[in-house]
Amino acid sequence: MRTATYFFIFLNLSLALFEEPAVYPLPFLATSMLEVLCLLVFLGRLTHFAKVTLHNVFWKDTKNICIMVAILLSLTDLAIYGVLRLYDVRSIRWSRIVRPIFLINFAESRQIRRAFRSIRNTLPEITYVFLLFMFSLLMFSLMALKLFGERNLLTAEGLPYFRNYLEIVFDLYVLVTTANSPDVMMPAFDFSSWYALFFIAFVIVNTYIFMSLFLAVVYNNYKKHLKVMHGGACD
């Protein structure tokens, strides 16, 4: 039963690869029939669980309510999408975002729920580090606007360089990942090599210090919550 449940959960999640817009597109009828099959299996598994569980216990368990709501939303979305396709009206399968609910809330997914709860409990405690990082990013973006905005610099494509504050924030945010390095700094460096110090300082503070601090806080808090759950929490 556990293997079958995991198989259909995996099949349901994998449908995103074959539904429009898809990597490997399949006809709508094929993907819809597979999804209905998965939902029927989930409904049957939930019905089986209800038969072996006390009535009051079953209906008080929020996991079961979440599964029923996810099944209902998925069937409703599938029906609406199918009707709109008949009239050549383009729409979006918004119910795809509820598919991970099946992975988290079935009784067989106890370890996944523990990991999910640990992540959820960790998020509030890393908010302070994230806010500090965003403050640093915004301050560096403001300095970049003051340093380069009035220099009339151009990018290699001939576009204005660092003259829009929101674009600067985005470019520097990408620079934290080093994905646009060194391209983002070359117009300033070509104007004066001393401007490289600004980008060096930015990378040291935000990429090396803040990202390391962020990772350490996430890891320590996640490990702490996971130990608490293993030590005293029951599913």
Side-chain angles (χ1 to χ4, degrees):
M1 183 68 73
R2 177 179 297 179
T3 303
T5 302
Y6 278 132
F7 172 78
F8 283 102
I9 289 174
F10 176 76
L11 179 62
N12 189 44
L13 292 173
S14 300
L15 288 176
L17 297 174
F18 308 102
E19 295 171 329
E20 184 182 351
V23 180
Y24 308 103
L26 288 177
F28 170 71
L29 183 61
T31 58
S32 60
M33 292 298 292
L34 286 174
E35 184 172 4
V36 170
L37 174 62
C38 292
L39 295 176
L40 288 176
V41 171
F42 298 153
L43 183 61
R45 178 68 184 92
L46 196 64
T47 304
H48 170 262
F49 187 67
K51 293 292 185 182
V52 298
T53 308
L54 294 176
H55 185 269
N56 293 336
V57 175
F58 178 82
W59 289 105
K60 287 181 179 178
D61 194 338
T62 55
K63 298 190 295 295
N64 301 327
I65 305 301
C66 286
I67 294 174
M68 285 189 287
V69 171
I71 293 174
L72 181 61
L73 290 176
S74 298
L75 288 174
T76 303
D77 180 43
L78 182 61
I80 294 174
Y81 184 80
V83 172
L84 291 177
R85 277 181 63 92
L86 293 177
Y87 293 96
D88 294 326
V89 178
R90 292 185 61 86
S91 59
I92 299 175
R93 288 296 312 279
W94 49 264
S95 66
R96 291 173 183 167
I97 61 175
V98 306
R99 290 177 181 173
I101 290 177
F102 300 116
L103 179 63
I104 296 171
N105 287 284
F106 271 113
E108 291 83 357
S109 304
R110 184 173 291 106
Q111 296 298 329
I112 296 177
R113 278 196 300 280
R114 286 177 178 172
F116 179 78
R117 288 185 190 129
S118 297
I119 295 173
R120 183 187 62 193
N121 294 332
T122 299
L123 289 177
E125 299 177 21
I126 65 176
T127 302
Y128 300 110
V129 179
F130 178 74
L131 291 176
L132 284 174
F133 165 73
M134 289 304 301
F135 177 77
S136 173
L137 178 65
L138 294 174
M139 289 299 100
F140 270 99
S141 300
L142 185 60
M143 286 189 287
L145 179 63
K146 295 300 181 182
L147 281 173
F148 311 121
E150 299 177 356
R151 307 291 182 185
N152 295 324
L153 302 178
L154 299 175
T155 64
E157 294 79 16
L159 300 175
Y161 178 73
F162 277 19
R163 297 185 197 173
N164 183 284
Y165 183 68
L166 293 180
E167 291 180 0
I168 296 173
V169 172
F170 178 76
D171 286 338
L172 292 183
Y173 176 77
V174 175
L175 182 59
V176 173
T177 68
T178 68
N180 58 355
S181 177
D183 297 344
V184 70
M185 64 182 76
M186 290 312 297
F189 181 80
D190 291 339
F191 184 80
S192 174
S193 59
W194 287 103
Y195 284 138
L197 296 175
F198 170 82
F199 294 98
I200 292 173
F202 176 83
V203 170
I204 290 175
V205 172
N206 293 280
T207 301
Y208 292 108
I209 296 178
F210 267 111
M211 289 299 102
S212 299
L213 182 62
F214 193 80
L215 178 61
V217 171
V218 170
Y219 174 76
N220 287 330
N221 284 282
Y222 178 83
K223 183 172 65 173
K224 179 183 69 177
H225 290 297
L226 202 59
K227 284 182 178 180
V228 170
M229 286 189 173
H230 278 295
C234 59
D235 192 48

